[in-house]
Every structure is written in structure tokens, then in C-alpha cells.
Amino acid sequence: MKNKQRSWLLLGAFQLLFAVFLPAQTKQKADLIVTGGMLVTMDSPRSIYDDGAVAVTGDTIVAVGPRAEIEARYTASQAIDAKNKLVLPGFINGHTHVPMTLFRGIHDDVTLNDWLYKYIFPAEAKNVTEEFVRWGTRLAAAEQIRSGVTTFADMYYFEDAVAEETKAAGMRGVLGETFIDFPAPDNKTNAAMLAYTEKFLQKWQGDPLIHAAPAPHSIYTCSQKTLQDAATLARKYHAPILIHVAEMKKELDDSLKQNGMSPVQYLEKIGVLGPDVVAAHCIFVDEADRKTLAQRQVGCVHNPSSNMMIASGVAPVPEMRAAGIAIGLGTDGPAGSNNDLDLMEEIDLAAKLAKITRMDPLAINAKAVVEMATIDGAKALHMDKEIGSLEKGKKADLILISLDEPNAVPMYDVYAQLAYALKASDVETVIIGGRIVMRDRKLLTVNEQEAIAKAREYKKKIAASLGMQ
Ligand SMILES: [Zn+2]
């Protein structure tokens, strides 16, 4: 063979090598690729990829973009085909009390006062134990995952048990131990409450899923000292502070009478407000309050179902958004004030409640309420560096929603479809921190049948404790 011929042959062999083997070798390895769906990223330009893909390594998103581009750059040990599905950042339930699932429907269609004093406080005193809290949280995890919720903020008792169950279910949680000025089911004195919460905060420091927090219940159930103690403890551990704020007219009236100012101004005066506070409800907030909330970078959470069911009022959501306040969505409840944990219902109701209250269909649009359930919810929980959108470097919390349903077609506008047509039952697959917790509607981290059976058992016990049939 002549030299020239040989070198051509060699060159040909090299070209073949490059063409066949090298691209595969230069591809980066990911653990999981979700490919082929319509990606609604909720990043700042609100990018949407009609045929997109997300690559995940460990608990983190490493790439987001058009499918062809991501598939050319990554191989993965596991792939999920998202064709004919929407891929979104997981929904954020910014305010709830998950163990109360076991009190779901205990007594409805009564005033808040009757519900609290005749039913819930006696029921809690007789039934809430650590075991109760564990089963309630497990049931709530199943229900929330089924509606596409990947992160929730909770306020209850025995919150360390809530944290353990949340972690076992693979969910992300901002979990607040309640501070309240009466003997609670877990801590009977303020000193015990402080000691329990400090230990709770220490235990979960640095956990990738659990953010432990103090949760002073409200200005009407906590003294100034209790509120300040909770804030001081939170700030010592760089933890958030969860609190109900301006949630009913009586709270506003009493604050005006007792403190000479609104609940927001009172919390500002005593040094509680700051960029670590998550304030649920914020119904009675005037222009000055809204300015203060924005200046202090307080995150707010709107709970339309709860506000309607208890007839407590309507938060001025469009004005709050205009003031620059980060405002997310919550289910509240799930007992007496909802009674479920379906965040997709809140997306729908947040829009419709604002529209009917103002008799203006333009009051708030579909895109805004989807923002509230995702990126703005993350901002309200002060977690937007970590979650709320599909972006490189953020936690891999993503959900797949089926578009192969009668109520899902045709689709002209994806935000309108999400807000007004799609349902929790259309959520098929849920991934939290790179771990698949629901695949094709089958829960993988919670024994749902066991939790359902236990809830039925608890119903008998609770009803008997209250002399109900
Ligand atoms: Zn609440």
C-alpha cells in the first residue's frame, strides 16, 4: 500500500472514531433526564420550551433547554418521557397545618369562634399526640404530592415529628413549631416551648429538605414577649418565622384598640418584621401596611379557599403585588377552613376571587396566579435561590402534568390551562430533589393505603372523644 493511500485510510478510520464514539464520550453524565415535554420554567424571562428537557444530577438541576440541545450534551442513567405533558417547577403550599388532616370535616358551616372553641381546641386537647401528628403528616404528604406540591410551609405542634415524616416522604418543608400563650398539646409552658424549638432548630440545621422554624401563632394568641422570643430564636439560627397576620377583622379591631395601630405596624414596632418572616393571610393590610411589608421584605401567603370558607375577608392581592410584596398561595386548613390540600384549586380560586371581589375580570390573570404557586411562592418563603423555577443550579423539584385528558385539550394558552382547566388529578409524576416520589400516579415514598386506614381509625377515636356519633 502506498503511503498516501495508507494515510487516507488512517484519516478515514479516525473520522469514523470521532463520529461514532467521541460524541458519546464527551457527553456529560446526569442521573436523570426528563425529556420531550412542554417546559414551563418560571425563570425570569418566563421561558417556555415546547419540546424541552431537564437534566438532573443528585438533587440539583444541571441543565434546562430545548430537548435536542440537552440530549446532545447529556446522557443519563434514567430518563422520563414527558411527551404530551407539561413540566413545571413543583407547586409551593405556603401555609397549612398538615396534621389537621385527621380533623378534616370534623364540623363545618359554623363561625370560626364556634369551630375553634367548641370543636377544635377540645379535639386537640384530647387527641393530639406525637403519633397523631405522624399519621396526619403522612396522609397530608400523600395528598399534597398527588396535587403536585413539592414544598409546603407548616405550623403545628410536635413539629419535629412533622419534620421526620416529611423527610421520609421525600418532601421539602418549612416547618414551624407553634408558639402560643396557652398550654399546647406538646409544650405546657413557654420555657418548654423555647427549649423544644431550640433543639428542633439545632437538629435540622443544614438539612437539604427540612427548614425548621419557630411559628408564633399570631398577635392575638401571643404576648409581645412570646413574639419577640420566637423572632430572637429564629434569628440566632437564621431560620424563617411563620406567623398568621391580619387574618380577621377582630384581630385588626383589637389591635387598633389595644396597640393603637394595625397588626402589621405593631409587629414592625416590636421588631418582628424582616426578610425572614412568612406572614399568612394579610387580609387587613392598608396602603401603609403594604409599604411596610414591602420595605421589610416580608413574604405573604394568600389562602383563598380558607378566606372564603371562614368568610374572613379578601386579601388585596393585586395591590400587594403592585407594592412589590412577594405573595404565594396556601391551602391553610385542611380542617375547618378548606378542607383539602389541593394547591391547584387555590390557583384557580385566587384568580376568580380577585375577579369577583372587584367585579373585574382583569383584576388578576392566569399567569400571575401560576407565578404565585411557583416562583412567587418561593420568594414568599425566602427560598427563591433554591426552588420555584426550572433553572440550572436550583433543586430538582419538578412535576409532570398530563395533557392527554379531555379537560386538557385543546390548549391555546398554557397559563390559562393551568389556572382554569387542569386539575390535581392530572399531575402524573413528581420529583423532589432529584428523587421520584410519584411515578405515573403511583406514590413511591408513602404507604398511602396504610395512611388512609389509619385516618379511618382516628375518626372513630376522635368522634368518641367529643361524644359525636
Ligand atoms: Zn393557618
Side-chain angles (χ1 to χ4, degrees):
M1 203 186 285
K2 282 181 188 167
N3 271 352
K4 203 173 176 184
Q5 266 179 323
R6 192 181 295 148
S7 59
W8 275 117
L9 262 175
L10 268 171
L11 192 65
F14 271 123
Q15 276 174 336
L16 197 72
L17 258 172
F18 269 110
V20 176
F21 297 108
L22 274 178
Q25 281 172 0
T26 53
K27 274 189 185 181
Q28 297 172 56
K29 267 202 118 31
D31 296 325
L32 172 69
I33 292 188
V34 177
T35 175
M38 180 192 256
L39 249 58
V40 184
T41 66
M42 305 312 290
D43 64 4
S44 24
R46 303 289 183 259
S47 316
I48 291 177
Y49 301 99
D50 287 335
D51 184 15
V54 183
V56 173
T57 296
D59 70 351
T60 305
I61 295 173
V62 290
V64 179
R67 181 172 62 89
E69 195 186 303
I70 301 297
E71 285 182 348
R73 282 169 53 208
Y74 289 91
T75 58
S77 35
Q78 199 178 5
I80 293 180
D81 181 6
K83 193 162 176 283
N84 288 338
K85 298 178 206 312
L86 295 179
V87 182
L88 271 103
F91 295 132
I92 296 166
N93 184 359
H95 178 68
T96 185
H97 313 274
V98 289
M100 295 183 83
T101 43
L102 297 177
F103 292 135
R104 190 196 319 268
I106 196 170
H107 205 93
D108 295 309
D109 309 324
V110 286
T111 64
L112 175 62
N113 206 62
D114 278 358
W115 182 77
L116 276 176
Y117 291 94
K118 284 191 188 162
Y119 297 94
I120 269 306
F121 289 153
E124 284 184 334
K126 288 173 184 155
N127 295 285
V128 174
T129 60
E130 191 185 308
E131 180 80 355
F132 171 100
V133 160
R134 284 189 187 280
W135 283 107
T137 304
R138 225 173 275 187
L139 186 68
E143 188 182 351
Q144 291 194 97
I145 291 169
R146 286 203 173 281
S147 77
V149 170
T150 53
T151 297
F152 66 99
D154 191 68
M155 296 169 71
Y156 209 60
Y157 311 108
F158 298 105
E159 204 67 28
D160 186 49
V162 174
E164 285 182 355
E165 293 298 325
T166 301
K167 192 169 170 78
M171 291 192 80
R172 205 176 295 287
V174 182
L175 307 176
E177 169 66 20
T178 296
F179 279 50
I180 200 158
D181 284 342
F182 60 72
D186 50 356
N187 299 305
K188 305 298 173 202
T189 65
N190 284 25
M193 185 172 74
L194 269 169
Y196 176 98
T197 310
E198 181 148 26
K199 220 172 113 195
F200 172 54
L201 295 179
Q202 283 167 346
K203 176 175 164 184
W204 295 97
Q205 285 273 297
D207 189 272
L209 288 174
I210 306 301
H211 298 260
H217 178 272
S218 61
I219 66 162
Y220 61 90
T221 51
C222 294
S223 68
Q224 179 178 328
K225 184 177 182 313
T226 304
L227 294 166
Q228 288 170 329
D229 284 351
T232 304
L233 187 62
R235 280 159 193 161
K236 183 175 168 189
Y237 291 93
H238 306 289
I241 301 160
L242 310 184
I243 182 169
H244 297 97
V245 177
E247 67 168 327
M248 52 182 164
K249 182 72 169 38
K250 188 177 183 320
E251 178 186 348
L252 172 69
D253 293 344
D254 289 351
S255 181
L256 289 173
K257 223 182 289 164
Q258 290 158 21
N259 309 314
M261 60 190 83
S262 72
V264 167
Q265 297 310 328
Y266 170 68
L267 287 166
E268 166 69 354
K269 189 188 136 205
I270 65 169
V272 170
L273 297 188
D276 43 9
V277 172
V278 182
H281 300 298
C282 299
I283 295 169
F284 299 95
V285 290
D286 64 13
E287 204 181 332
D289 292 338
R290 295 195 289 269
K291 212 172 146 194
T292 304
L293 291 168
Q295 272 170 354
R296 289 289 176 205
Q297 296 172 53
V298 171
C300 296
V301 181
H302 176 46
N303 304 270
S305 283
S306 167
N307 297 168
M308 285 192 268
M309 190 157 166
I310 313 178
S312 47
V314 183
V317 174
E319 287 82 356
M320 291 169 81
R321 283 172 60 90
I325 299 168
I327 176 158
L329 285 178
T331 57
D332 201 6
S337 61
N338 192 319
N339 291 341
D340 61 42
L341 298 168
D342 178 352
L343 198 84
M344 287 189 79
E345 199 172 82
E346 305 303 320
I347 299 176
D348 179 282
L349 289 175
K352 291 173 182 166
L353 179 59
K355 291 172 193 291
I356 188 64
T357 308
R358 282 141 214 273
M359 294 293 280
D360 176 8
L362 310 183
I364 198 162
N365 65 25
K367 191 178 177 189
V369 288
V370 175
E371 288 169 346
M372 289 169 73
T374 54
I375 186 64
D376 288 357
K379 286 178 187 160
L381 296 185
H382 313 290
M383 289 174 74
D384 49 307
K385 285 201 176 78
E386 208 178 317
I387 56 169
S389 57
L390 301 179
E391 287 181 83
K392 186 182 170 181
K394 284 205 179 179
K395 297 291 183 195
D397 293 4
L398 40 127
I399 60 174
L400 278 69
I401 302 177
S402 173
L403 294 175
D404 278 329
E405 309 293 338
N407 59 304
V409 286
M411 184 168 78
Y412 299 98
D413 178 277
V414 69
Y415 297 112
Q417 207 81 342
L418 279 161
Y420 309 130
L422 294 167
K423 303 291 163 202
S425 51
D426 301 322
V427 177
E428 271 190 0
T429 294
V430 175
I431 299 159
I432 307 176
R435 180 182 183 194
I436 304 169
V437 298
M438 181 167 81
R439 179 104 196 232
D440 299 327
R441 298 208 52 76
K442 189 180 177 338
L443 290 170
L444 303 176
T445 52
V446 184
N447 185 334
E448 193 177 31
Q449 288 317 314
E450 204 181 28
I452 291 171
K454 209 67 184 178
R456 292 194 176 114
E457 250 176 59
Y458 267 105
K459 186 250 163 176
K460 285 185 200 147
K461 242 167 81 177
I462 294 162
S465 81
L466 294 176
M468 297 161 79
Q469 284 311 303

